[in-house]
């Protein structure tokens, strides 16, 4: 490359190169550059290598908007989550983004604040011309389907009830992980086991509560209604739920929580009540957020694979976007869950009175 071109390629001098400059430097056609940038596998290996070398030397960045105009596809995938402040969802978003980028798509996030912002989020996704939407928010199926279906925008529901319309869905096997958690507590000697559910207007919270009841029955235990309270999947909900359970003359010796945030809130209430975990009460969470292993004591919880969840959802959604033959891609499998034993569970023993 000439000294003049090298100087021009310096990103600090403000010069911007386009696809024709890359083609000229690489000695190939503009079409070959385009196919290389779009990862078309039929491009000659040597030509593709020259194109990539030229892209690096010129510090060239493809114009994605121009590509979208030509192809009619934005290569944007929308992801709707209910609460971006819940640590589970940023961790999940990271996995979604990693998976989408590998498939040459970008991610556009909408946090619905448990549905109060749903219409604003939908409008933003539609205005950006997303190719498809993955939906992890709850109880909004009808408005989502109405706005997206009429525009023929493919969607995949992640663990959301969508009985009114036959859309694709990725489901989660709550029962397996919950059954492992109940069996673990029963094996330790617990028979009085409580449960703090999420808000029951959310489909996933209802499924987790059902999984708890079924797991207790499978273990030969009868859940007591006074030991089952409704929370809100927030720290405060776990604190309030545990306060209600402790108001019982004889509280349960172990408590499962519908998610890790509530389990951490429950831990807080126990500690401020002068009770020790796991000596005075065992606690089990659900989700296995990154924070779970760093609380004191480290939280025993049910892990839901975020990598598996993102992979299944992106696979289903891209198959719909690209109109793949169902025979060409495997059917979505329920996302697995499994127990991770840490420091918040132990055999029951008589608890001291609260201070």
């Amino acid at each position: 490359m000439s000294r003049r071109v090298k100087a021009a390629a310096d990103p600090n001098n403000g010069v911007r190169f386009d696809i024709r400059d890359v083609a000229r430097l690489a000695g190939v056609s503009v079409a070959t550059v385009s196919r290389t940038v779009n990862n078309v596998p039929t491009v000659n290996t040597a030509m593709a290598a020259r194109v990539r070398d030229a892209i690096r030397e010129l510090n060239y960045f493809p114009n994605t908007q121009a590509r979208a105009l030509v192809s009619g596809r934005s290569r944007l995938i929308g992801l709707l989550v209910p609460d971006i402040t819940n640590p589970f969802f940023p961790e999940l978003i990271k996995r979604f983004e990693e998976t989408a980028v590998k498939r040459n798509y970008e991610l556009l996030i909408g946090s619905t604040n448990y549905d109060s912002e749903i219409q604003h989020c939908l409008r933003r996704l539609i205005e950006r011309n997303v190719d498809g939407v993955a939906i992890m928010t709850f109880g909004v199926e009808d408005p989502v389907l109405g706005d997206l279906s009429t525009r023929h925008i493919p969607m995949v529901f992640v663990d959301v009830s969508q009985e009114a319309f036959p859309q694709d869905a990725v489901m989660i096997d709550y029962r397996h992980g919950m059954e492992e958690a109940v069996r673990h507590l029963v094996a330790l000697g617990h028979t009085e086991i409580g449960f703090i559910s999420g808000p029951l207007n959310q489909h996933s919270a209802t499924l987790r509560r059902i999984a708890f009841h079924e797991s207790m029955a499978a273990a030969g235990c009868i859940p007591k209604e006074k030991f089952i309270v409704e929370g809100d999947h927030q720290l405060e909900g776990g604190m309030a739920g545990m306060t209600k359970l402790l108001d019982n003359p004889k509280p349960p010796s172990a408590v499962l929580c519908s998610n890790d945030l509530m389990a951490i809130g429950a831990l807080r209430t126990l500690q401020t009540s002068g009770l020790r975990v796991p000596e005075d009460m065992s606690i089990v969470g659900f989700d296995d957020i990154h924070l779970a292993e760093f609380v004191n004591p480290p939280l025993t919880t049910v892990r839901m694979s975020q990598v598996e969840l993102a992979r299944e959802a992106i696979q289903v959604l891209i198959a719909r976007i690209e109109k793949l033959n169902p025979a060409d891609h495997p059917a979505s499998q329920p996302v697995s869950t499994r127990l991770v034993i840490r420091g918040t569970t132990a055999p029951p023993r008589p608890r001291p009175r609260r201070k």
Side-chain angles (χ1 to χ4, degrees), residues 27-316:
V28 299
S29 68
V30 169
T32 297
V33 175
S34 178
R35 289 196 298 271
T36 302
V37 168
N38 286 296
N39 298 312
V40 175
T42 56
V43 179
N44 176 275
T45 303
M47 288 184 175
R50 294 209 307 268
V51 169
R52 294 190 189 98
D53 288 342
I55 286 172
R56 280 193 294 270
E57 289 194 47
L58 296 177
N59 198 39
Y60 168 71
F61 289 86
N63 186 329
T64 55
Q65 291 180 330
R67 289 160 64 190
L69 287 173
V70 172
S71 67
R73 299 249 302 274
S74 65
R75 302 205 74 83
L76 284 175
I77 287 176
L79 175 62
L80 289 178
V81 299
D83 179 13
I84 204 167
T85 65
N86 182 330
F88 174 77
F89 290 106
E91 293 174 19
L92 181 66
I93 288 167
K94 177 183 176 183
R95 300 304 183 189
F96 261 89
E97 184 175 43
E98 290 170 351
T99 307
V101 168
K102 287 179 183 177
R103 300 293 296 270
N104 204 27
Y105 285 84
E106 299 293 337
L107 208 59
L108 187 61
I109 312 299
S111 180
T112 67
N113 193 25
Y114 288 99
D115 309 338
S116 65
E117 303 292 330
I118 182 67
Q119 293 301 333
H120 170 73
C121 291
L122 279 176
R123 175 172 289 277
R124 192 158 54 91
L125 297 182
I126 292 168
E127 288 176 350
R128 292 294 299 275
N129 194 33
V130 294
D131 290 336
V133 180
I135 300 157
M136 280 209 66
T137 194
F138 311 103
V140 298
E141 293 89 330
D142 288 346
V144 168
L145 285 166
D147 285 331
L148 298 180
S149 292
T150 56
R151 293 169 173 82
H152 306 290
I153 298 174
M155 40 191 147
V156 58
F157 285 98
V158 181
D159 196 42
V160 180
S161 174
Q162 28 73 66
E163 298 169 355
F165 294 86
Q167 300 294 328
D168 283 312
V170 174
M171 303 309 294
I172 297 166
D173 182 8
Y174 291 121
R175 173 70 183 270
H176 181 78
M178 193 71 75
E179 201 165 275
E180 283 191 343
V182 169
R183 283 203 309 264
H184 168 63
L185 292 173
V186 171
L188 290 172
H190 295 278
T191 56
E192 302 290 325
I193 301 172
F195 184 68
I196 304 177
S197 79
L200 296 180
N201 64 333
Q202 294 182 11
H203 185 61
S204 67
T206 300
L207 289 178
R208 294 180 190 208
R209 179 168 169 152
I210 291 170
F212 170 73
H213 277 276
E214 292 176 344
S215 299
M216 288 285 283
C221 298
I222 300 174
K224 295 180 178 179
E225 284 305 313
K226 66 180 180 179
F227 290 162
I228 300 175
V229 298
E230 184 175 350
D232 62 1
H233 278 164
Q234 305 292 322
L235 290 166
E236 294 80 5
M239 295 171 67
M242 181 55 71
T243 299
K244 289 180 182 178
L245 292 175
L246 292 178
D247 284 340
N248 283 282
K250 292 182 67 175
S253 63
V255 174
L256 277 81
C257 298
S258 185
N259 76 347
D260 288 342
L261 274 189
M262 290 199 303
I264 294 169
L267 282 172
R268 169 76 172 175
T269 293
L270 288 169
Q271 290 165 353
T272 57
S273 298
L275 298 173
R276 298 168 300 166
V277 176
E279 292 85 354
D280 299 321
M281 185 181 287
S282 290
I283 299 290
V284 179
F286 205 106
D287 287 339
D288 195 25
I289 61 176
H290 187 58
L291 181 63
E293 62 180 308
F294 296 102
V295 297
N296 185 28
L299 182 65
T300 295
T301 186
V302 175
R303 175 176 295 167
M304 179 166 59
S305 173
Q306 296 166 343
V307 172
E308 189 179 340
L309 181 57
R311 183 181 65 242
E312 290 290 335
I314 293 293
Q315 175 178 280
V316 170

